[in-house]
Amino acid sequence: MPLLEPQPGALRPHPSAGHTPSGDRVPDSRALGTPQPLRGDLERLLGPGKVLWKVSDLVRYASDASPYRFVPQVVVLAEDLDDVSAVLSYARGNGRDVVFRAAGTSLNGQAQGEDILVDVRQHWVGTEVLDDEGRRMRILPGTTVFRANAALAPYGRLLGPDPASAIACTVGGVVANNASGMTAGTTRNSYRTVVSLTAVLPSGTVVDTAEPDADENLVHAEPALCEGLMALKGEIESDPELVARIRAKYELKNTNGYRLDAFLDGDSPVSILRGLMVGSEGTLGFLSEVVFDTLPLNRFTSTGLLFFPSLSAAAAAVPRFNEAGALSVELMDGNTLRASVSVQGVPQDWAELPKETTALLVEFRSPDEEAREESERAAREVVSGLELVAPVPSVTNEFTRDAGTIASYWKARKAFVTAVGGSRPSGTTLITEDFAVPPSRLAEACEALLELQERHGFDAAVAGHAAHGNLHFLLAFDAALPEDVDRYAAFMDDFCRLTVERFDGSLKAEHATGRNIAPFLELEWGERATELMWRIKRLFDPEGVLAPRVVLDRDPKAHLRGLKSIPKVEAVADPCIECGFCEPTCPSEDLTTTPRQRIVLRREMMRQAPASPVNDNLLDSYGYDAVDTCAGDSTCKIACPVGIDTGAMMKDFRHARHSGREERAAARVAKNFATVERSARLAVAAADQVRKRLRGRNGDLGDRLLEKATAGVRKAVRPDLVPEWLPEIPGAAAKRLPATDRASAAAVYYPACVNRIFGDPEGHEGPSLPEAMVIVSARAGRPVWIPEDVTGTCCATIWHSKGYDSGNALMANRIVEAAWRWTDGGELPLVVDASSCTLGIAHEVVPYLTPANAKLHDRLTVVDSLVWAADELLPHLTVEHRIESAVLHPTCSMQHLGDEDHLKRVAEACAEEVVVPLDAGCCAFAGDRGMLHKELTLSATAREAAEVNARPYDAYLSANRTCEIGMDFATGGPGYRSVVLELERATRPR
């Protein structure tokens, strides 16, 4: 056993007295995970690495953004079509069923299964632009909408569907649900813009609808299916009343049931199949790729956020903006507006808005300036005839072109579910409903909905795509209380009848049927059309292998089955509604767990009795899967609309696992950091000498010996404490920092401890980073001064990231006191040359400061080297030597600081071509975490590294030494370095 083994028992929940295990907890019988022979069968069929079987794996995949929770028997990580076909064949032969899951952002339970759950996100990411103008794009199903649009942006194109969850939801899910979003309506959705798709049918047959002989191949492979589809087409077309009904239903947004108009729009089995697959929710086949017709981006935007005295007044204005040509008209009621103040960038005075206030977010997008001016003229004409209100000072009721203001409006609108849901009472389940009515009856529908919510005791919160008559609302209730479930059931009965019988509306406009509207399908479509849908399902899936009880379910109470309880967890994570927006940003997403899953697992622990066998096994896995492999970069907080920082929770858990001896040792390290720093630099220098002198036959003998030596120490002490040697670790920094003059300094320059310990990458020629900062600052007429006593100080991130609170507090206060003295009480800015250290000194030290030092900190100006270089140096420098190309690695700290554009500005001054990889993200090196768990960095950077290595660059630039080491490790060592070094080289006098 390692000398300093963590204490996993410290994370065991300690519920309050009287705690009763939840009724929906995972039973003790499932504590060992996937049963045999299922586990063994699939491991032999696919390989052990593709089968997730631990109870922690099953629990973390049991939840999604919906109010439902179904624990699968096993999770399969399918890598290719062969894996998918093999799983389907196994299911058919063994009477099992299969559900496909990508992002898990679906809101109605359609991505959940009770048997074999297949993850089709991790290995299914990629895009291919098919023509020079970006008019068509082939997309793999695990690709997020955001990522696909980023690849299309250089062409001035985008996808038609634009759901609010675009940052997280995948294209496969969007097509499978026919999700639309803010602007798609009925003309830009997947049904209208998907040109072709490749599907794997339940039988294993693969259909590429783009192939010239696709119909011939399908007839040969699936004759009964083809015959049945054409028979259904003939039957539908022979009934004029049914044809008219189908056409009328799709004049509104409608994703309830299968697309019956596919039989009217398609003229062959393959074209009908293409239409049916869109919106089929994984019940008819697996979509392995899709080809979209893309749409013009229209970059000339004008947007207004207009406030009305009531919901009905706002709804009445919608048709006027539609007629004026607005691309989107979004509605937010008073509750939505007030709740959105939890989103960064939203005016805080919205919290004071009257409950009746309603806003319309109206946007016009134009291809050029002339068209934009015409749109703005039309908008002003509409506004002149409206009675608007300005209840709080931030309300302007004006249209704007300012990108930042527009972004804040859309951020508030897109955060509807999570912002409102995040403010719900603790312990309540969140239901997200959407429906559509004729736009002309929007005001009437809003008033009817509000009355219905009040009658059933629910708080009203309404938003939606008003231009298309599509409204969204939320219901919060405690699924553990039978009376609350009864209240929800009564509401749903009344709501569905209201929507269908009074408005002839769509019960699901864009979120798809899923599990929670399946019992009401016949209410909306009638017996004849519903039976046609059952026949479609039997044609494609006669054995019922795919997603049973999704879309079609004859149980009138199916929507009440599997509702999940939401037990209270740590305060920082308790508002989480499991939306999944955080997951694409998480460095450990493809290795262990995501922020959502870390919270989901914690909630399951709270459902259990503290000493249950399920809890024992969850805790055994949680240490590595959740705590150790969290990079702690907190990019999840940026992505989360309500700012949940799961990284902070993991740091708290690290602290909880420490023994008193560990905490005291960490505090001693902080107290004696000057000695530790010198020792670390000497150790790096000694290791570098070993590496240089012991080359061996392959030139790597020294590195291999160092790796072996550190591996032995890691095993003896603890892998999460002792770093592993990596060949990409550079040599030591110079013993002395450059001499500088205090008298003429425009700023105090603080070389971070990582730049005082580690030198520049191998092969670097020229000044060191501290030397370059001094030289280029002087060259710009903005000289800097390095204090003589920086040794022994640090930004405290070393202790903060590991949860060593005593050491963190000691160093946090030391650096602030030193910075106060160095800067003459804040008179000069403090320039820091590593972005993570800038973040640490500027923000992360604050909670650990004494009251006196907190006051000192308030008067400090902490400036990242990127900001210093871009804003203070560049305007006074002449670029003399530009390289051809540079690739950038924006760090997660730059995201928190808002410095990414500064990195790009400096790089663009130095290079003709500057590339930011589309898949750039946190490298997860996180100080030394990449040396503690190198697998974390390799996983986090896999896609970015592949993109970088696809071609050579003249420079590889960032602004954080450990991140640069991490990227060298990930990419094979091209020599990542600070952009300040390149700026110094580029501006040297000829």
Side-chain angles (χ1 to χ4, degrees):
M1 177 180 291
L3 181 64
L4 294 174
E5 185 71 10
Q7 305 177 71
L11 303 185
R12 189 178 295 277
H14 299 288
S16 57
H19 168 76
T20 302
S22 300
D24 63 340
R25 70 189 182 279
V26 176
D28 290 351
S29 60
R30 301 198 62 183
L32 297 180
T34 301
Q36 299 290 3
L38 177 60
R39 175 185 165 190
D41 287 349
L42 290 175
E43 287 182 335
R44 285 187 291 273
L45 182 67
L46 303 168
K50 299 177 183 179
V51 180
L52 302 180
W53 58 270
K54 296 185 300 182
V55 66
S56 61
D57 296 323
L58 308 184
V59 168
R60 65 189 174 98
Y61 273 93
S63 293
D64 63 5
S66 79
Y68 299 100
R69 195 174 82 107
F70 293 98
V71 182
Q73 293 289 327
V74 68
V75 177
V76 169
L77 300 177
E79 292 186 3
D80 51 35
L81 286 177
D82 289 342
D83 287 347
V84 172
S85 295
V87 170
L88 290 174
S89 176
Y90 177 82
R92 291 196 312 275
N94 291 273
R96 311 204 72 108
D97 57 73
V98 176
V99 170
F100 296 106
R101 171 175 171 146
T105 56
S106 297
L107 295 167
N108 295 319
Q110 55 265 55
Q112 296 183 340
E114 299 173 76
D115 196 2
I116 301 174
L117 187 69
V118 182
D119 183 314
V120 290
R121 179 199 56 79
Q122 182 171 339
H123 299 291
W124 300 82
V125 177
T127 62
E128 179 187 2
V129 176
L130 300 179
D131 61 276
D132 293 340
E133 297 180 343
R135 292 180 177 273
R136 282 196 174 176
M137 173 180 269
R138 177 179 289 112
I139 312 174
L140 297 183
T143 309
T144 64
V145 173
F146 179 85
R147 172 63 175 77
N149 281 334
L152 285 169
Y155 300 89
R157 312 286 293 183
L158 80 171
L159 299 181
D162 63 336
S165 57
I167 189 175
C169 69
T170 62
V171 170
V174 166
V175 176
N177 290 314
N178 197 24
S180 46
M182 315 290 176
T183 65
T186 59
T187 59
R188 298 162 60 102
N189 60 22
S190 296
Y191 185 79
R192 299 299 179 193
T193 59
V194 167
V195 181
S196 66
L197 52 82
T198 300
V200 184
L201 303 183
S203 63
T205 298
V206 179
V207 183
D208 180 354
T209 65
E211 291 182 349
D213 53 356
D215 274 299
E216 181 181 341
N217 292 338
L218 187 61
V219 168
H220 177 74
E222 303 277 351
L225 173 61
C226 292
E227 182 180 344
L229 290 175
M230 296 309 292
L232 282 174
K233 175 179 174 63
E235 185 177 331
I236 291 170
E237 290 181 334
S238 67
D239 185 338
E241 185 177 343
L242 180 59
V243 169
R245 179 61 178 161
I246 291 171
R247 290 299 190 197
K249 288 298 293 177
Y250 292 112
E251 288 179 3
L252 294 180
K253 293 175 67 173
N254 193 329
T255 60
N256 194 16
Y258 296 130
R259 289 287 307 211
L260 293 181
D261 55 346
F263 292 98
L264 306 178
D265 299 331
D267 56 8
S268 70
V270 166
S271 59
I272 294 171
L273 179 147
R274 186 215 67 83
L276 287 172
M277 282 292 170
V278 176
S280 62
E281 305 176 48
T283 63
L284 304 182
F286 165 62
L287 301 177
S288 65
E289 68 173 36
V290 292
V291 176
F292 272 89
D293 269 339
T294 66
L295 301 172
L297 183 54
N298 288 344
R299 301 178 189 270
F300 292 81
T301 303
S302 187
T303 307
L305 188 61
L306 312 176
F307 287 74
F308 295 80
S310 67
L311 202 154
S312 57
V318 171
R320 300 181 63 179
F321 284 112
N322 286 344
E323 292 168 5
L327 181 64
S328 56
V329 183
E330 295 293 305
L331 181 145
M332 294 178 281
D333 82 330
N335 282 345
T336 302
L337 293 166
R338 291 197 303 278
S340 66
V341 298
S342 63
V343 179
Q344 186 176 4
V346 173
Q348 292 300 295
D349 62 5
W350 284 14
E352 307 303 319
L353 287 168
K355 183 177 181 180
E356 298 77 16
T357 304
T358 303
L360 291 182
L361 175 56
V362 183
E363 183 161 287
F364 294 84
R365 296 183 197 168
S366 308
D368 52 45
E369 182 59 39
E370 183 180 352
R372 175 160 64 179
E373 290 177 356
E374 177 59 28
S375 295
E376 289 174 342
R377 185 201 60 75
R380 286 193 298 270
E381 186 174 327
V382 172
V383 170
S384 67
L386 300 176
E387 185 178 347
L388 302 178
V389 295
V392 294
S394 68
V395 172
T396 64
N397 289 324
E398 294 178 353
F399 278 79
T400 180
R401 298 180 176 187
D402 180 70
T405 304
I406 293 172
S408 70
Y409 291 164
W410 279 108
K411 190 172 186 181
R413 169 59 190 94
K414 291 183 177 183
F416 166 65
V417 172
T418 40
V420 178
S423 63
R424 76 198 188 283
S426 179
T428 56
T429 298
L430 190 73
I431 300 279
T432 306
E433 298 291 353
D434 90 299
F435 69 109
V437 299
S440 61
R441 302 185 68 185
L442 185 66
E444 181 187 354
C446 288
E447 292 170 351
L449 173 64
L450 291 172
E451 189 279 326
L452 189 65
Q453 289 175 312
E454 290 176 4
R455 190 196 321 157
H456 287 276
F458 290 107
D459 290 334
V462 182
H465 317 310
H468 311 291
N470 179 191
L471 291 173
H472 300 256
F473 62 94
L474 304 176
L475 306 173
F477 64 94
D478 190 341
L481 298 178
E483 59 270 28
D484 253 20
V485 175
D486 290 344
R487 181 164 60 101
Y488 165 66
F491 174 88
M492 285 300 293
D493 287 343
D494 287 350
F495 162 70
C496 291
R497 284 196 299 270
L498 172 76
T499 302
V500 172
E501 295 172 1
R502 180 170 168 180
F503 295 103
D504 193 20
S506 308
L507 290 175
K508 280 297 170 189
E510 61 179 358
H511 293 169
T513 311
R515 296 174 181 272
N516 91 318
I517 290 296
F520 303 98
L521 182 66
E522 186 171 331
L523 173 67
E524 176 176 341
W525 277 98
E527 183 179 357
R528 174 81 191 283
T530 303
E531 187 53 38
L532 288 173
M533 294 181 192
W534 278 99
R535 289 166 62 186
I536 291 167
K537 172 66 172 174
R538 288 192 291 269
L539 271 176
F540 278 84
D541 188 16
E543 293 166 287
V545 168
L546 287 181
R549 310 193 72 164
V550 172
V551 180
L552 299 170
D553 196 326
R554 298 193 190 276
D555 179 0
K557 295 186 177 181
H559 59 306
L560 307 179
R561 192 176 73 93
L563 292 169
K564 64 185 172 189
S565 64
I566 304 291
K568 185 177 180 63
V569 293
E570 284 71 17
V572 67
D574 197 55
C576 176
I577 61 165
E578 304 172 10
C579 67
F581 284 23
C582 57
E583 294 194 334
T585 71
C586 180
S588 59
E589 179 188 27
D590 291 338
L591 179 68
T592 50
T593 58
T594 66
R596 170 170 62 176
Q597 291 173 340
R598 289 176 169 96
I599 296 170
V600 162
L601 288 165
R602 194 66 180 161
R603 283 177 170 163
E604 180 57 36
M605 294 179 199
M606 300 304 296
R607 291 187 184 99
Q608 298 285 327
S612 74
V614 170
N615 249 355
D616 290 343
N617 289 338
L618 291 177
L619 286 166
D620 283 347
S621 300
Y622 201 76
Y624 175 77
D625 288 352
V627 182
D628 293 346
T629 54
C630 173
D633 65 305
S634 295
T635 50
C636 50
K637 179 181 180 180
I638 298 173
C640 176
V642 292
I644 293 174
D645 189 348
T646 312
M649 184 168 77
M650 294 303 106
K651 291 169 190 173
D652 288 343
F653 286 165
R654 289 170 188 165
H655 174 69
R657 295 190 307 174
H658 296 158
S659 65
R661 181 174 61 172
E662 269 192 83
E663 281 287 333
R664 290 190 295 273
R668 283 195 296 272
V669 169
K671 184 177 180 181
N672 301 291
F673 191 63
T675 301
V676 173
E677 179 186 329
R678 295 187 189 99
S679 300
R681 187 173 59 250
L682 288 172
V684 172
D688 192 42
Q689 288 300 310
V690 170
R691 174 169 53 192
K692 289 176 178 177
R693 294 185 180 188
L694 300 178
R695 306 297 294 177
R697 182 179 302 173
N698 298 318
D700 63 348
L701 177 59
D703 281 322
R704 287 190 284 112
L705 290 174
L706 290 166
E707 287 174 10
K708 188 173 181 179
T710 55
V713 179
R714 283 163 59 81
K715 185 175 181 180
V717 179
R718 178 172 147 197
D720 203 49
L721 281 180
V722 179
E724 179 177 357
W725 179 262
L726 301 176
E728 291 74 19
I729 294 175
K735 186 176 181 180
R736 287 185 172 81
L737 293 165
T740 53
D741 179 32
R742 174 69 179 83
S744 60
V748 177
Y749 168 33
Y750 180 67
C753 66
V754 290
N755 291 319
R756 305 194 305 261
I757 295 172
F758 295 111
D760 297 307
E762 185 176 356
H764 171 72
E765 296 180 359
S768 66
L769 176 57
E771 290 169 339
M773 178 65 81
V774 171
I775 292 169
V776 76
S777 295
R779 189 178 293 156
R782 304 287 287 159
V784 294
W785 171 64
I786 303 175
E788 295 179 357
D789 58 344
V790 295
T791 301
T793 61
C794 174
C795 65
T797 300
I798 296 172
W799 295 268
H800 180 240
S801 66
K802 292 178 171 60
Y804 290 115
D805 285 2
S806 298
N808 186 17
L810 191 156
M811 188 56 76
N813 283 280
R814 179 186 296 174
I815 187 61
V816 169
E817 290 167 2
W820 176 259
R821 178 167 38 83
W822 295 333
T823 62
D824 283 347
E827 290 297 317
L828 292 177
L830 183 74
V831 178
V832 185
D833 63 4
S835 57
S836 62
C837 302
T838 309
L839 180 67
I841 298 172
H843 300 288
E844 292 178 344
V845 300
V846 174
Y848 303 92
L849 299 177
T850 64
N853 284 338
K855 292 180 180 178
L856 302 185
H857 186 275
D858 286 343
R859 293 180 60 182
L860 294 177
T861 301
V862 183
V863 181
D864 191 58
S865 60
L866 293 172
V867 177
W868 177 253
D871 293 349
E872 298 293 332
L873 305 186
L874 261 183
H876 307 289
L877 293 170
T878 301
V879 175
E880 302 283 0
H881 320 274
R882 297 189 86 196
I883 55 177
E884 289 296 322
S885 63
V887 65
L888 307 185
H889 174 68
T891 69
C892 51
S893 297
M894 293 176 199
Q895 293 182 48
H896 287 286
L897 293 166
D899 289 355
E900 293 169 291
D901 285 344
H902 294 84
L903 173 65
K904 192 172 182 182
R905 280 169 51 196
V906 178
E908 286 174 341
C910 303
E912 297 289 341
E913 178 194 14
V914 173
V915 174
V916 179
L918 293 177
D919 289 307
C922 177
C923 67
F925 212 74
D928 65 351
R929 192 141 298 266
M931 292 184 278
L932 300 173
H933 300 287
K934 64 183 181 183
E935 69 279 12
L936 177 60
T937 288
L938 288 175
S939 177
T941 58
R943 294 190 182 102
E944 181 180 358
E947 204 173 336
V948 169
N949 287 334
R951 54 162 286 193
Y953 295 91
D954 294 319
Y956 300 77
L957 305 176
S958 189
N960 204 79
R961 192 70 196 98
T962 52
C963 296
E964 292 155 13
I965 297 170
M967 287 305 299
D968 277 343
F969 172 60
T971 58
Y976 274 85
R977 61 183 185 271
S978 171
V979 72
V980 174
L981 288 169
E982 190 56 37
L983 180 64
E984 189 282 323
R985 187 207 61 79
T987 58
R988 288 176 197 166
R990 290 185 181 273

